[in-house]
Amino acid sequence: MDFKNVSYLLSLITIFFLFATSQSLARLHLRPTITSREMTSPVADNSGGEWVLLYKSTGVSAMHMQLLHNGKVVIFDRTDFGTSNLPLPAGKCRRNDAVVKLDCSAHSLLYDVVSNTYRPLMVQTNVWCSSGAVHPDGTLVQTGGYLDGDRKIRLFTPCNDFQQCDWVEISQDLTVRRWYASNQILPDGRIIVVGGRRQFNYEFFPKIPAKGSFKELYQLPFLQKTTDRFEENNLYPFLHLLPDGNLYIFANRRSILFDYVKNRIVKEFPAIPGEKRNYPSSGSSVLLPLHCPSPEAEVLICGGAPNLAYFKANNLSVYVEASKTCGRLKLTDPEPHWVMEDMPMGRIMSDMLLLPCGDVLIINGASNGTAGWDDAVGAVLNPLLYIPTQPDPTRRFAVLNPTTIPRMYHSAAILLPDGRILVGGSNPHQTYNFTAPYPTELSLEAFSPPYLAPQYSNLRPSILSVMDGHQILSYGQKFSLTFTLREFRADRDISVSVIAPSFTTHSFSMNQRLVYLEIDGGVRKLSESCYKVNVIAPTSRNVAPPGYYMLFVVHGVIPSECLWIKISNG
């Protein structure tokens, strides 16, 4: 994002404002080079997680990521900076590029988790700063982007043959340009696309008839009201589908409960205390785990940046400290209010991921500045583990082992089927730059959270079957799960969780959702190390929209590898 056109007069006024207040100067930092302290080597400490470098370079920077139900990950960057370092297969080239006349390089790839291999994919138009969601049939629906791609809809459908699947750009366009928008899968299988730069509205894909015609666009003035004059701070709004079927929308510091069917605000919540939370003051957000049969809904938002932090970084090369605060808001309470906590360090541009055990991983990002071209410094190399069920707020955070690779602007992370975290990207530059203090990253890493440490192998379940191999479930259906466990401990509960894989970009994991299923009758021992539980699928599409989920059996906090299931309407 670039606001270089802000007037010279405004710059002078703001400079005077900045340097007239000595109190604020104490919190400002100039751009440093990467120090040896930042580049601390990772420690393979079983209690703090372990990092593994999968590829030093895939040739493409991972700005966007989506895990599919066949164990493949779609990764893509942008197309308007020149060529990438990954060639397309012979004969494939883009001839409509804005920078080079003929671009025969890939700006997307398909990564195979099991084999740790990848191959190039071909996007036709610019997918920079776009959004996405997985349709109930498993197809990735990717929307918007920049310039020639800002109204485009692209599909990626998983297939069994690893060498055949590729992007398909459909003829239907979005109603308006969508750049920095957010998507959410809905209970009826449609996808709602909300906001984007100077778009105070929303639309659906696919369209449905409204009074005999297709209504294209719905206005949402809330987005205009939450736009800061010089920084916006409400792009990539946080969206969460709630168990009552309404949509929670958070932008800047404000949030609403929104009835998208009737196009009306049901409730406005109190503003979160402290800093701005949305792009470019990029904090992150998750809907905390839902528990069947009658789930309460609570949102967690962490990180961000103070007012004018983007302007200071982008125009004055002054990098304000990022927010240390997290806020929790129990949306289903009669009178919700924010409960604030402090992280061990300030963070901007971090990703927040739900783990199978219900904990939250906070990973990637920086300590100072904001999102934007070269607008942040101080890579935060240590992930954080947040334990939402810990009664003592002072013990909810744990600092985990660091990576050696800064993951700044345009980095991403997703949960994998085996419980690891795939981490990639970071390019705070307008082109690929491998010599800058924070260079363009084409690498892929895997982070293993503490629950994957070798000393817990005896406590790790392994799923044998679901319903005799039938992995398509209906709402409210009772089904059985059998699993092995070498060492069952009575002091550790058995739980079953399902997780919708996220579309992750720009510090927000769209459509991410964890639901704990109801266990009927407890755990039954079948043999020395084999067990069975009867489980009830979610009863409502509002709790778990139709589609593919990763199902985990969790022993205490130690998860199995996932088994993919599909929740269907019938």
Side-chain angles (χ1 to χ4, degrees):
M1 181 171 69
D2 193 350
F3 291 91
K4 300 291 187 184
N5 295 324
V6 176
S7 69
Y8 178 71
L9 176 60
L10 176 61
S11 298
L12 291 177
I13 293 171
T14 306
I15 292 171
F16 177 81
F17 168 79
L18 291 175
F19 293 98
T21 308
S22 59
Q23 185 176 6
S24 66
L25 280 172
R27 293 173 58 84
L28 305 180
H29 299 267
L30 297 180
R31 182 189 306 279
T33 57
I34 295 180
T35 65
S36 58
R37 183 174 183 180
E38 278 185 348
M39 296 298 289
T40 304
S41 298
V43 179
D45 183 334
N46 288 338
S47 65
E50 184 175 12
W51 289 88
V52 173
L53 181 65
L54 301 174
Y55 280 98
K56 186 175 181 180
S57 174
T58 64
V60 173
S61 191
M63 185 189 298
H64 314 76
M65 288 187 180
Q66 174 71 63
L67 172 67
L68 303 174
H69 70 271
N70 62 350
K72 310 298 192 295
V73 179
V74 177
I75 294 173
F76 56 99
D77 190 8
R78 47 188 271 251
T79 66
D80 64 338
F81 62 90
T83 58
S84 76
N85 288 18
L86 178 64
L88 286 166
K92 282 194 171 185
C93 296
R94 295 171 58 253
R95 292 171 173 81
N96 59 343
D97 190 80
V99 178
V100 294
K101 291 183 179 180
L102 190 66
D103 185 358
C104 301
S105 68
H107 299 279
S108 178
L109 63 86
L110 188 64
Y111 174 71
D112 187 310
V113 176
V114 175
S115 65
N116 189 37
T117 57
Y118 64 90
R119 67 174 178 88
L121 298 175
M122 186 173 181
V123 290
Q124 296 292 337
T125 52
N126 198 349
V127 290
W128 180 23
C129 299
S130 56
S131 53
V134 175
H135 187 270
D137 68 3
T139 297
L140 170 59
V141 180
Q142 186 273 326
T143 51
Y146 187 58
L147 293 178
D148 64 339
D150 61 9
R151 295 192 183 197
K152 296 300 181 183
I153 301 170
R154 308 166 189 88
L155 307 179
F156 188 92
T157 303
C159 63
N160 293 327
D161 185 349
F162 182 67
Q163 295 301 321
Q164 296 300 316
C165 305
D166 210 335
W167 286 102
V168 175
E169 196 166 284
I170 68 175
S171 58
Q172 177 189 352
D173 282 347
L174 296 165
T175 309
V176 296
R177 71 193 297 259
R178 298 291 176 188
W179 193 30
Y180 303 99
S182 294
N183 294 11
Q184 172 66 53
I185 189 74
L186 298 175
D188 61 5
R190 290 181 300 159
I191 295 164
I192 188 170
V193 187
V194 179
R197 174 156 293 162
R198 292 182 287 278
Q199 295 299 337
F200 312 121
N201 49 61
Y202 63 97
E203 61 184 290
F204 299 96
F205 177 84
K207 308 294 183 185
I208 61 170
K211 296 181 180 180
S213 64
F214 287 88
K215 185 169 182 179
E216 298 289 333
L217 201 63
Y218 299 80
Q219 298 304 312
L220 185 56
F222 168 77
L223 294 177
Q224 189 165 15
K225 295 176 181 177
T226 54
T227 302
D228 287 345
R229 183 177 179 186
F230 302 119
E231 298 187 316
E232 296 174 293
N233 285 327
N234 70 342
L235 300 179
Y236 280 121
F238 303 144
L239 309 180
H240 300 295
L241 178 68
L242 300 188
D244 65 359
N246 290 313
L247 193 64
Y248 177 76
I249 304 177
F250 182 101
N252 200 320
R253 294 179 55 239
R254 296 169 57 186
S255 57
I256 56 173
L257 182 66
F258 187 66
D259 182 344
Y260 56 86
V261 176
K262 298 180 179 178
N263 189 32
R264 67 184 184 95
I265 294 176
V266 178
K267 178 188 294 187
E268 181 156 0
F269 298 99
I272 190 171
E275 296 81 2
K276 313 288 183 169
R277 308 288 175 166
N278 290 87
Y279 186 94
S281 296
S282 301
S284 192
S285 173
V286 294
L287 181 68
L288 291 175
L290 302 172
H291 294 258
C292 289
S294 301
E296 296 181 337
E298 186 174 13
V299 70
L300 172 71
I301 295 174
C302 294
N307 190 38
L308 291 179
Y310 172 79
F311 184 86
K312 296 171 187 178
N314 199 54
N315 292 278
L316 306 173
S317 297
V318 174
Y319 306 94
V320 181
E321 290 181 7
S323 173
K324 293 180 64 175
T325 64
C326 292
R328 289 174 65 162
L329 184 67
K330 191 168 286 187
L331 306 171
T332 46
D333 274 2
E335 296 185 11
H337 64 279
W338 289 98
V339 177
M340 305 303 294
E341 304 175 53
D342 282 342
M343 295 183 285
M345 72 284 284
R347 301 186 86 114
I348 189 84
M349 300 182 295
S350 290
D351 294 292
M352 291 172 62
L353 298 174
L354 293 168
L355 301 179
C357 58
D359 295 340
V360 180
L361 187 73
I362 307 174
I363 195 167
N364 298 341
S367 63
N368 294 73
T370 67
W373 300 131
D374 298 298
D375 287 332
V377 297
V380 181
L381 303 178
N382 295 82
L384 294 177
L385 188 68
Y386 179 77
I387 306 170
T389 56
Q390 167 57 247
D392 183 354
T394 65
R395 299 176 59 194
R396 287 183 184 150
F397 287 101
V399 180
L400 304 181
N401 289 329
T403 179
T404 59
I405 301 175
R407 300 290 182 182
M408 309 285 278
Y409 185 43
H410 289 154
S411 60
I414 58 169
L415 174 70
L416 294 178
D418 58 10
R420 293 178 300 156
I421 307 301
L422 184 67
V423 182
S426 187
N427 185 20
H429 317 292
Q430 294 191 40
T431 61
Y432 280 9
N433 185 337
F434 303 107
T435 60
Y438 300 103
T440 301
E441 273 300 332
L442 310 182
S443 62
L444 278 182
E445 294 177 282
F447 176 67
S448 295
Y451 55 55
L452 290 177
Q455 66 259 34
Y456 302 131
S457 59
N458 285 346
L459 304 175
R460 186 165 298 115
S462 179
I463 299 174
L464 295 177
S465 66
V466 176
M467 286 286 294
D468 299 321
H470 298 294
Q471 292 166 222
I472 299 178
L473 304 174
S474 301
Y475 288 97
Q477 179 180 347
K478 292 185 179 181
F479 64 98
S480 61
L481 267 174
T482 56
F483 60 93
T484 59
L485 182 59
R486 280 182 282 177
E487 185 181 344
F488 179 73
R489 292 190 181 176
D491 60 338
R492 293 173 179 257
D493 293 334
I494 293 291
S495 58
V496 178
S497 62
V498 294
I499 298 180
S502 65
F503 180 94
T504 298
T505 190
H506 289 76
S507 305
F508 182 42
S509 295
M510 303 176 197
N511 305 291
Q512 181 178 218
R513 176 176 214 89
L514 187 154
V515 181
Y516 281 111
L517 303 186
E518 186 179 4
I519 294 179
D520 184 19
V523 180
R524 178 184 173 190
K525 187 172 184 178
L526 302 179
S527 64
E528 182 60 30
S529 60
C530 187
Y531 300 86
K532 178 179 179 180
V533 289
N534 293 318
V535 187
I536 302 173
T539 58
S540 169
R541 296 179 300 171
N542 297 336
V543 173
Y548 286 91
Y549 290 80
M550 293 182 281
L551 182 146
F552 295 90
V553 174
V554 184
H555 180 213
V557 295
I558 311 299
S560 66
E561 290 193 17
C562 92
L563 189 70
W564 286 96
I565 64 166
K566 184 180 183 181
I567 302 178
S568 176
N569 287 325

